[in-house]
Amino acid sequence: MPVTTPISATSEQLAAIRYDADGLVPAIVQEQGTGRVLMMAWMNAESLARTLETGRTWFWSRSRQEYWCKGETSGDRQYVREAYYDCDGDTLLFVVEQEGKGACHTGEYSCFFRAFGSDG
């Protein structure tokens, strides 16, 4: 079983994050080792703090209006290995060790399993 590894962040780094009008920032999740993009979800300041403190991915559900820790119900957990923010501070990137069947709620390994220009 993978272990959780908290990620440290300075107050200056956290202050650099630019949230939208709803207090959210997109968070891209990428698989360690393969570089495959697994999913994108939304974070607010609290879910970002929870993610960095626990070493597991936490998000804000816009539809349910609640926090969720990836994999708590499915078992498909994500263990954060690296955390980044982009040059504008308006997008987050988490490199994770993916446990279980994958990241997508549909059962696919990645949420990005459909391609334009294909029949699938």
Side-chain angles (χ1 to χ4, degrees), residues 64-105:
R64 296 187 315 269
Q65 293 291 294
E66 66 183 15
Y67 295 100
W68 56 283
C69 183
K70 180 66 178 155
E72 284 307 295
T73 55
S74 67
D76 301 326
R77 295 175 180 88
Q78 295 173 342
Y79 297 86
V80 179
R81 300 299 177 232
E82 300 171 54
Y84 300 91
Y85 55 103
D86 76 343
C87 56
D88 295 321
D90 61 2
T91 305
L92 305 174
L93 172 65
F94 294 92
V95 178
V96 303
E97 184 176 345
Q98 178 69 51
E99 179 182 68
K101 300 181 312 281
C104 189
H105 72 281

